[in-house]
Amino acid sequence: MDAATKSDLKKKIKREAIKLGMNLIGFANVERWSEFDEINPAYYPQTIWPWSKTVIVLAVQIYLPMIETTPSVVYSELYNTTNRMLDESAYRLANFLNRHGFRAHFFPRDCYGDISVLVKKPEAAFSHVIAGKYAGLGTIGMNHTLLTKEYGPRIRLVSVITDAEITPDPMVKKNLCIQCGLCAKNCPMQAFTPKSGKEIAEMDQFKCAAYHQKLKNEFRYPCGVCTAVCPIGDDRKVYGRCSVSPDGIKHCQSFGSKNAVED
Ligand code: SF4
Ligand code: SF4
């Protein structure tokens, strides 16, 4: 593909993704996985799908006034909505690329059968966070999430893998995490252990998954506190330090979950 065709295809993909309701779109060439050499090569897209050339990462925002009621059914429903949007949009975008003669498919946004599996093995076969970083959407914060300029960590991600060679987006150079420690301090499970000299905290993923199991049983999954409290993101500038009143949080938590009827 010559440069003009590549650029035309990129524009078409972006247009399509925006039409599908995506807030952020980034492009990574698969070479970035080996270039940065940060994760086990078994997780590289080109190891799993040897023909892959580009990973397109799509993100939708998580609304602050909803996540700030967590743990609640209000946030749980938002989470489910973003999941449906991401998988459907990625499916449609892969289909769009197929129609233009390229190999393409998507890696679903979570890809685990049930939270009980994560309690024993808290990881997936592919990392959208790493893909998002290589696609220029943001940097990885102390809380292990992808921090973006627009929404901080309040995004959900999915990836489309294709053999179309598309010019990658530049990566974000400056770390967006300001190391404020609010994520670690507010985690109900104290799952993070910040380490001096390291920008990303150690995380006890088993503790986090166990808490999610509890919340799922109460119909108010997931947690998300470590993303709700993060001060990074233009969305935070719009809503200020807190977008829901303390009474409003209690009110929203009083409906729709097991916790609401058992308390
Ligand atoms: S999702 Fe909740 S339990 Fe898990 S690390 Fe974040 S704040 Fe802690
Ligand atoms: S809350 Fe603070 S330390 Fe945690 S990810 Fe956000 S900026 Fe970084």
Side-chain angles (χ1 to χ4, degrees):
M1 245 197 303
D2 61 32
T5 319
K6 273 190 199 175
S7 147
D8 187 46
L9 180 64
K10 190 170 180 175
K11 275 189 204 143
K12 280 186 184 157
I13 293 169
K14 278 189 171 177
R15 252 200 318 269
E16 200 65 20
I18 289 165
K19 251 199 295 179
L20 290 165
M22 299 297 100
N23 291 110
L24 304 174
I25 306 121
F27 297 77
N29 53 333
V30 297
E31 288 77 19
R32 281 186 179 161
W33 272 257
S34 43
E35 204 180 297
F36 283 86
D37 190 21
E38 310 178 275
I39 58 167
N40 183 333
Y43 295 74
Y44 293 2
Q46 65 271 44
T47 307
I48 308 173
W49 303 284
W51 44 265
S52 57
K53 299 267 187 253
T54 301
V55 178
I56 306 165
V57 186
L58 311 172
V60 288
Q61 64 164 318
I62 290 174
Y63 301 118
L64 255 172
M66 294 174 87
I67 195 174
E68 283 186 340
T69 67
T70 194
S72 70
V73 176
V74 175
Y75 175 48
S76 194
E77 292 287 10
L78 170 66
Y79 183 79
N80 292 336
T81 306
T82 59
N83 287 346
R84 283 195 303 274
M85 276 187 76
L86 287 167
D87 283 350
E88 276 197 32
S89 302
Y91 181 99
R92 288 173 199 275
L93 202 62
N95 226 339
F96 171 85
L97 282 156
N98 290 161
R99 286 199 303 275
H100 282 74
F102 299 103
R103 293 185 230 187
H105 69 287
F106 72 102
F107 192 87
R109 88 285 154 189
D110 277 339
C111 219
Y112 56 85
D114 184 69
I115 193 70
S116 56
V117 177
L118 292 193
V119 172
K120 294 189 181 131
K121 188 177 180 182
E123 59 181 343
F126 182 78
S127 168
H128 298 299
V129 169
I130 290 282
K133 173 181 158 179
Y134 296 160
L137 296 187
T139 61
I140 301 179
M142 179 188 277
N143 59 8
H144 291 233
T145 63
L146 187 73
L147 264 55
T148 63
K149 185 190 146 298
E150 296 84 352
Y151 309 105
R154 288 168 294 279
I155 47 157
R156 298 273 300 142
L157 298 159
V158 74
S159 305
V160 174
I161 294 102
T162 177
D163 66 354
E165 281 184 71
I166 304 164
T167 309
D169 285 322
M171 288 174 58
V172 177
K173 287 204 179 89
K174 191 175 174 285
N175 192 350
L176 297 174
C177 176
I178 55 169
Q179 302 285 303
C180 67
L182 281 175
C183 48
K185 206 166 110 196
N186 286 283
C187 170
M189 297 300 286
Q190 294 298 294
F192 298 110
T193 313
K195 291 275 167 196
S196 70
K198 288 201 173 171
E199 287 168 344
I200 301 173
E202 270 177 29
M203 181 181 178
D204 188 334
Q205 290 176 310
F206 293 96
K207 272 190 186 174
C208 176
Y211 184 54
H212 278 100
Q213 170 107 67
K214 175 184 173 311
L215 293 182
K216 185 134 199 199
N217 293 340
E218 295 168 354
F219 312 129
R220 49 183 194 151
Y221 158 95
C223 163
V225 167
C226 54
T227 59
V229 297
C230 180
I232 305 302
D234 296 339
D235 60 341
R236 179 63 75 193
K237 290 178 199 152
V238 173
Y239 289 104
R241 204 176 59 80
C242 193
S243 64
V244 193
S245 66
D247 283 347
I249 293 173
K250 278 194 208 138
H251 178 78
C252 290
Q253 290 177 348
S254 306
F255 296 88
S257 70
K258 253 192 200 168
N259 176 67
V261 287
E262 284 172 2
D263 268 4

